[in-house]
């Protein structure tokens, strides 16, 4: 049986000094993008693929943003011990996918390789039951059926979910890319700015009266209130990008990072470090035990390499030529 940590995660963000952004490859994604900073979705998310318009090849082609690299402050000195203490780190230049990998893009990978995800091999994957207030392994749940058998199929414009770290690594290798380190991820979320802000867009969760990301609203885990328009995932690019030009660097889905999760030097966070446990960043639409820290630029969490969940996806990075 699959090992499920069922982490209710935390996240980190970094802002990159890249006002002069470059596009490694160009994609038009107007069908799913709204730069107003407000959600354009409805409460009925995850429509059946057969009932939606096909986003087309623009969701297969991947646009990447050039990040210049530089010195930033990783972590924070307040809040959870997971992201303490703050420290300085030099980040080398890299490219990052503008959006999380979509269902459409992942389908292309599977079509060309015949790849089977860990969820498919196990026969189940992790979904949170809001009525029961508990995680469960749902038979038949995988990247094509995010809520399991008998439920709507995955929308091609949404981020792919139910992918393990192993699956994300396989996709990245096929694409000629790699997964980011959590420090590159944080740098990107902060748009390369040395100190950055608590959220990719500023210091408050809501800006100008608008939700800036697909995150949790509700007083308790059994009481979701999708005031941002989405109970589950949202189409990539539904919210305004950060200064670097990257979308969904907060909320929507947790994103796998390549590195093993370890407490920072000087941290009081207690855990047994294992190469089987990798860092995740960004938070998701889902409730998190650490609250809004789960989708800040400095929050962080972790899960085991074979675990797949309905609120976890990934994006890729590439090194300069």
């Amino acid at each position: 049986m699959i090992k499920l940590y069922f982490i209710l995660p935390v996240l980190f963000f970094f802002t990159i000094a890249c006002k002069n952004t470059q596009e490694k490859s160009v994609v038009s994604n107007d069908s799913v993008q709204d730069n107003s900073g407000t959600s354009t979705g409805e409460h009925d998310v995850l429509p059946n693929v057969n009932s939606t318009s096909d986003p087309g090849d623009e969701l297969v082609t991947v646009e990447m943003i050039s990040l210049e690299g530089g010195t930033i402050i990783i972590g924070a000195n307040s809040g959870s011990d997971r992201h303490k203490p703050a420290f300085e780190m030099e980040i080398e230049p890299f490219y990052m996918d503008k959006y999380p990998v979509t269902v459409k893009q992942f389908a292309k990978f599977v079509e060309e390789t015949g790849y089977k995800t860990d969820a498919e091999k196990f026969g189940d994957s992790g979904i949170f039951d809001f009525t029961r207030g508990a995680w469960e392994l749902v038979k038949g749940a995988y990247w094509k059926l995010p809520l399991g058998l008998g439920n709507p199929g995955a929308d091609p414009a949404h981020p792919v979910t139910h992918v393990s770290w192993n699956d994300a690594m396989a996709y990245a290798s096929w694409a000629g890319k790699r997964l980011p380190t959590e420090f590159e991820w944080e740098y990107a979320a902060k748009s390369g700015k040395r100190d950055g802000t608590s959220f990719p867009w500023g210091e408050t969760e809501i800006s100008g009266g608008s939700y800036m990301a697909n995150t949790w609203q509700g007083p308790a885990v059994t009481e979701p209130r999708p005031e941002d328009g989405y109970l589950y995932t949202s189409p990539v690019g539904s919210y305004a990008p950060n200064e670097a030009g990257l979308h969904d660097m907060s909320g929507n889905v947790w994103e796998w990072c390549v590195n093993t999760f370890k407490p920072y030097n000087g941290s009081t966070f207690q855990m047994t470090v294992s190469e089987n446990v990798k860092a995740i960043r960004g938070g998701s639409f889902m409730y998190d035990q650490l609250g809004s820290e789960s989708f800040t630029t400095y929050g962080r969490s972790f899960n085991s390499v074979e675990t797949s969940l309905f609120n976890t996806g990934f994006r890729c990075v590439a090194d300069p030529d």
Side-chain angles (χ1 to χ4, degrees):
M1 176 179 287
I2 189 170
K3 295 180 181 178
L4 286 177
Y5 275 61
F6 289 147
I7 299 297
L8 298 178
V10 168
L11 80 77
F12 280 43
F13 293 71
F14 279 61
T15 319
I16 63 181
C18 71
K19 294 181 180 179
N20 298 320
T21 57
Q22 296 174 280
E23 297 175 356
K24 196 167 187 179
S25 61
V26 179
V27 55
S28 172
N29 201 18
D30 294 338
S31 62
V32 295
Q33 180 175 335
D34 173 18
N35 288 337
S36 66
T38 60
S39 164
T40 59
E42 301 296 334
H43 291 262
D44 181 19
V45 297
L46 296 174
N48 191 300
V49 171
N50 295 327
S51 67
T52 62
S53 59
D54 190 336
D57 289 341
E58 68 270 16
L59 289 181
V60 175
T61 306
V62 181
E63 182 177 357
M64 301 190 81
I65 300 296
S66 174
L67 307 176
E68 296 177 355
T71 302
I72 63 167
I73 301 299
I74 298 288
N77 290 319
S78 60
S80 171
D81 290 338
R82 294 189 195 187
H83 53 249
K84 292 179 183 177
F87 61 96
E88 190 173 87
M89 176 177 280
E90 181 74 19
I91 305 295
E92 295 298 319
F94 64 100
Y95 288 92
M96 175 174 271
D97 290 350
K98 186 173 182 177
Y99 307 101
V101 172
T102 64
V103 170
K104 182 84 171 182
Q105 291 161 357
F106 198 80
K108 181 68 172 177
F109 159 61
V110 170
E111 176 187 348
E112 293 191 4
T113 64
Y115 184 83
K116 297 293 184 183
T117 61
D118 280 337
E120 291 171 272
K121 295 172 185 176
F122 286 117
D124 52 33
S125 193
I127 297 176
F128 192 87
D129 186 329
F130 291 117
T131 59
R132 293 177 52 243
W135 285 98
E136 58 185 0
L137 287 170
V138 175
K139 294 293 183 182
Y142 74 119
W143 67 272
K144 281 188 177 181
L145 292 173
L147 297 179
L149 298 173
N151 288 289
D155 190 303
H158 286 230
V160 68
T161 58
H162 294 289
V163 284
S164 68
W165 183 86
N166 297 323
D167 302 331
M169 289 286 285
Y171 176 97
S173 177
W174 167 80
K177 304 178 185 180
R178 60 180 175 84
L179 292 184
T181 68
E182 63 171 316
F183 311 114
E184 288 173 324
W185 197 99
E186 187 169 344
Y187 175 91
K190 288 183 174 178
S191 299
K193 294 180 179 177
R194 186 179 185 278
D195 297 310
T197 54
S198 297
F199 302 96
W201 54 84
E203 292 297 336
T204 58
E205 297 177 44
I206 297 177
S207 179
S210 298
Y211 288 103
M212 303 301 292
N214 178 10
T215 56
W216 178 265
Q217 295 95 50
V221 71
T222 54
E223 299 179 60
R225 296 178 182 174
E227 297 166 0
D228 59 9
Y230 301 102
L231 178 60
Y232 301 111
T233 57
S234 53
V236 299
S238 293
Y239 296 86
N242 67 2
E243 187 176 335
L246 297 160
H247 290 261
D248 297 318
M249 296 300 287
S250 177
N252 213 359
V253 292
W254 282 96
E255 298 183 11
W256 286 110
C257 296
V258 71
N259 60 286
T260 297
F261 183 94
K262 300 177 180 179
Y264 294 153
N265 290 336
S267 174
T268 58
F269 184 66
Q270 299 295 314
M271 69 171 293
T272 300
V273 175
S274 169
E275 291 296 319
N276 191 54
V277 176
K278 304 301 181 181
I280 53 176
R281 291 296 194 112
S284 76
F285 63 83
M286 177 63 192
Y287 171 88
D288 188 277
Q289 60 190 354
L290 295 179
S292 61
E293 281 189 346
S294 68
F295 51 90
T296 61
T297 57
Y298 49 82
R300 62 197 299 242
S301 197
F302 50 88
N303 225 322
S304 62
V305 297
E306 73 277 16
T307 295
S308 58
L309 302 173
F310 80 148
N311 67 336
T312 303
F314 68 101
R315 77 178 75 207
C316 299
V317 298
D319 298 312
D321 295 332

